[in-house]
Amino acid sequence: MDQLYRKLEITAFLVGEIENEVVAFANLHRTKKENDLSAIYVHPEFQSKGLGRALLKEIINKLQSGDELVVYLEKGNHQAESFYRKQGFLHIEEFSESLFEHTFNTVKMSVNI
């Protein structure tokens, strides 16, 4: 049971619903190193309706003033980069990482709360 409580302390998983149907979600993972916004996903049919902003606002409400929130995106995901820039995130760095012989180009963005 202690492991479950520890996991709940470091993770937040939120969903967005329309008419009792889950159409969006966000996931925050907190470590001593950083607050990582692991994902915000909004079903394409429900994008541009404020769900992503609402989920991000709820994630930010879980943090303290002065905290930094980071997000890692695949380079070239212009829609996501644009969304995060509009929410005040700044481009921090780009780097490459390999997984199963595939190289990913990653963009790190962050915002101070």
Side-chain angles (χ1 to χ4, degrees):
M1 196 61 141
D2 289 341
Q3 265 186 318
L4 175 60
Y5 287 121
R6 174 73 181 126
K7 187 76 166 171
L8 290 172
E9 288 176 1
I10 64 171
T11 303
F13 188 84
L14 307 173
V15 296
E17 295 180 339
I18 293 181
E19 297 180 10
N20 296 319
E21 181 180 350
V22 175
V23 296
F25 70 87
N27 188 13
L28 170 68
H29 183 76
R30 294 177 283 210
T31 66
K32 291 180 183 177
K33 181 181 170 189
E34 67 185 9
N35 299 299
D36 178 12
L37 179 58
S38 304
I40 288 185
Y41 175 80
V42 178
H43 187 284
E45 291 179 23
F46 299 96
Q47 291 177 356
S48 299
K49 297 183 184 311
L51 288 169
R53 283 188 308 277
L55 288 169
L56 179 58
K57 181 179 177 183
E58 288 302 316
I59 291 289
I60 288 172
N61 286 340
K62 296 188 175 301
L63 302 174
Q64 297 178 15
S65 179
D67 282 351
E68 178 184 29
L69 178 60
V70 300
V71 63
Y72 295 90
L73 310 170
E74 187 168 1
K75 184 175 180 176
N77 185 343
H78 302 296
Q79 183 178 4
E81 287 185 50
S82 175
F83 169 79
Y84 288 111
R85 267 194 222 98
K86 289 177 185 175
Q87 309 314 311
F89 283 74
L90 300 175
H91 182 276
I92 302 300
E93 67 177 313
E94 293 181 22
F95 56 92
S96 297
E97 50 192 346
S98 295
L99 180 65
F100 302 115
E101 300 180 14
H102 180 76
T103 300
F104 295 91
N105 296 311
T106 302
V107 174
K108 178 180 180 180
M109 299 178 77
S110 77
V111 66
N112 288 319
I113 307 305

